[in-house]
Structures are given as structure tokens and as C-alpha cells.
Amino acid sequence: MERLQKFLSECGVASRRKSEELIVSGKVKVNGEVVKTLGVKVSDSDVVSVNGEMISKSLKEYYLLYKPREVISSVKDEKGRTTVVDLINTETRIYPVGRLDYDTTGVILLTNDGELSNLLTHPNNNITKEYIAKVKGFFKKDDATLLSRGILLNGKKTKPALFKLKKYDKKSDFSYVKVVISEGRNHQVKDMFSFLGYDVLKLKREKYAFLDLSGLKSGEYRKLSLKEVKQLYSLK
Ligand code: URA
């Protein structure tokens, strides 16, 4: 037996807090009866529905994909572009954990485990993401310091991060910069560079928490091990 809000979040309906709101607002039924109180417990044999749609726990699947360029980080695309889900061979309804831009490559996780997905994308949990960015021009030390300390982006200061020049190619005038951030705002890395006038030509996510791309080529994926899943759960 487990609390109804925990059950809903494990089924991927919403975060635990949002699930509580769904319950209180009368959207959730257990065995055909509306349940509006938060203390109720359910087991796997109870029939639970949200807005009239039956939900259930299916077996959890976890994948790490090396996302290529020109693949969209969503389940479906109205323009018919290839999605990250298209690249994984499964019948299960999985979805990406967070997003990478269409032209960004690298590590992306996919799962049908709503609870883990909520945990990893929750801003308070500070999951680190490591990128390598190819930017036009020489990336100055002072700019690295500014971006690492935090800048005002869309009215909100970015959390402390790491921006570090790895290599400057004088001939082509490109810098390669290592970036480690613990937030996941939309286009955050590109927007931070752009704040100081740098153009990001390529962006690759090399690490998501402790998970990297070793053993994978672009477009390839692997399942996470049970140990890795447990380790991800312990990050909160
Ligand atoms: N930051 C970006 O700007 N783009 C990504 O795809 C990921 C992080």
C-alpha cells in the first residue's frame, strides 16, 4: 500500500505536489469513487483514474541515449522530425528527462519513471550537467569568471557554475569551453554565452550527473543498470 499522491507520481502523472493538487481538486477516482483527501492509500490492485483516464504502473525502463544533431527532444513532433524516442527500440511509452536543443548532441536520459524524471528535473536537486561548447572567438578569463559566478538571465540570477577554456584554436579562432551547470533552464548555456556576445557553434552534453557517453557512438543507446538507477535516486 502507498499513498495516492506517491502512486500518481510514480505512474508519471505529475510531481507529488501537483498530484496532491489533482486529488484535492476532485480529479482523481479510486475504484470509481472520487477521493479528495490526501491520507488515502492504494495498492496495485486498486483501479485509479485521473480526469477519467485509467492509469497504472508499468515496468520501468531507463535508457541513456547519445543524441545526434537534428533530433528533437520530445515524444512527438508535429513537423515530423525524428525524436529521441524514435531512436529507442521499445513498445513502452518513454519520454526524455529534460531537453537538449535540436542541434545539441550528447547524453540524454529517457524513461517511463515519472518519479525519477521529476526528481532529476526539479530545480532544487542541483543535478550537474557537463557540456563542451565550441564558441567563436577567444573566450576571455574574465568572462569565464563572470559566467561562473552567475549572471541575470530573464530576470533571475543563474546559479554558480563552471566555465573554463579548454582549448583555443588560433587559426580558426574557435574556443572550446567546458561548462558545468546545475540548472536546466531552456537554452541556458547558449543564452549565457550570448549574454557576453559569444556565438555557440556547437554544443555537446558530455555528462548528466555521473553518467557519460563512454562506449556509445552518436545515435546509440544503452539501458541503465539497476545500480545506476539507484544512484540517480540517491542524488536528491
Ligand atoms: N543549454 C543550451 O543552450 N542548449 C542545450 O541543448 C542544453 C543546454
Side-chain angles (χ1 to χ4, degrees):
M1 299 286 274
E2 65 184 332
R3 282 173 178 268
L4 185 54
Q5 57 267 42
K6 181 159 184 270
F7 179 86
L8 294 177
S9 116
E10 281 182 359
C11 290
V13 171
S15 67
R16 247 184 246 190
R17 199 183 52 77
K18 290 243 169 67
S19 297
E20 287 177 359
E21 287 172 16
L22 286 171
I23 295 168
V24 173
S25 62
K27 303 262 168 48
V28 182
K29 283 184 184 170
V30 178
N31 303 323
E33 304 272 335
V34 174
V35 169
K36 283 188 164 188
T37 47
L38 293 176
V40 172
K41 290 190 170 175
V42 291
S43 72
D44 286 349
S45 61
D46 287 312
V47 178
V48 179
S49 67
V50 177
N51 288 323
E53 204 178 303
M54 224 174 87
I55 56 161
S56 66
K57 272 193 210 173
S58 46
L59 277 182
K60 300 290 180 262
E61 294 183 15
Y62 306 88
Y63 299 93
L64 187 166
L65 168 70
Y66 183 160
K67 179 192 169 300
R69 281 168 93 88
E70 298 182 3
V71 170
I72 189 145
S73 297
S74 58
V75 177
K76 268 196 175 160
D77 182 48
E78 72 273 9
K79 294 185 195 151
R81 292 173 293 187
T82 306
T83 72
V84 285
V85 172
D86 293 335
L87 300 180
I88 311 271
N89 188 14
T90 176
E91 296 298 313
T92 306
R93 279 170 57 177
I94 54 168
Y95 44 85
V97 177
R99 278 169 179 275
L100 286 179
D101 293 336
Y102 189 59
D103 60 352
T104 301
T105 60
V107 184
I108 188 157
L109 302 184
L110 296 105
T111 184
N112 58 341
D113 182 344
E115 192 183 15
L116 184 67
S117 177
N118 289 327
L119 182 158
L120 294 174
T121 51
H122 195 287
N124 287 351
N125 285 335
N126 294 323
I127 307 296
T128 55
K129 293 123 201 157
E130 185 176 318
Y131 298 85
I132 188 89
K134 178 182 177 185
V135 301
K136 185 88 190 106
F138 178 72
F139 185 61
K140 295 195 213 79
K141 187 127 207 267
D142 285 355
D143 289 344
T145 308
L146 272 174
L147 292 180
S148 300
R149 283 189 188 146
I151 54 159
L152 210 56
L153 207 59
N154 303 320
K156 197 172 161 244
K157 197 173 174 203
T158 56
K159 287 186 183 169
L162 175 87
F163 281 73
K164 191 169 190 274
L165 178 67
K166 295 305 280 181
K167 194 176 114 189
Y168 172 64
D169 183 10
K170 210 168 170 186
K171 217 164 115 208
S172 58
D173 193 29
F174 292 139
S175 296
Y176 295 84
V177 184
K178 175 176 163 176
V179 177
V180 184
I181 57 172
S182 62
E183 297 170 283
R185 300 203 226 163
N186 260 347
H187 315 299
Q188 180 163 348
V189 175
K190 288 179 192 163
D191 287 351
M192 288 180 81
F193 276 112
S194 143
F195 181 82
L196 296 181
Y198 293 98
D199 224 1
V200 176
L201 304 169
K202 274 190 183 172
L203 186 62
K204 178 181 180 189
R205 182 151 75 190
E206 303 216 303
K207 266 175 119 177
Y208 187 94
F210 55 87
L211 295 164
D212 64 23
L213 292 165
S214 36
L216 296 177
K217 295 196 193 87
S218 177
E220 290 183 343
Y221 65 89
R222 68 174 179 87
K223 283 193 170 179
L224 295 186
S225 68
L226 194 60
K227 189 172 161 216
E228 288 170 328
V229 174
K230 281 193 179 154
Q231 241 176 304
L232 286 173
Y233 262 104
S234 71
L235 291 175
K236 70 172 162 185

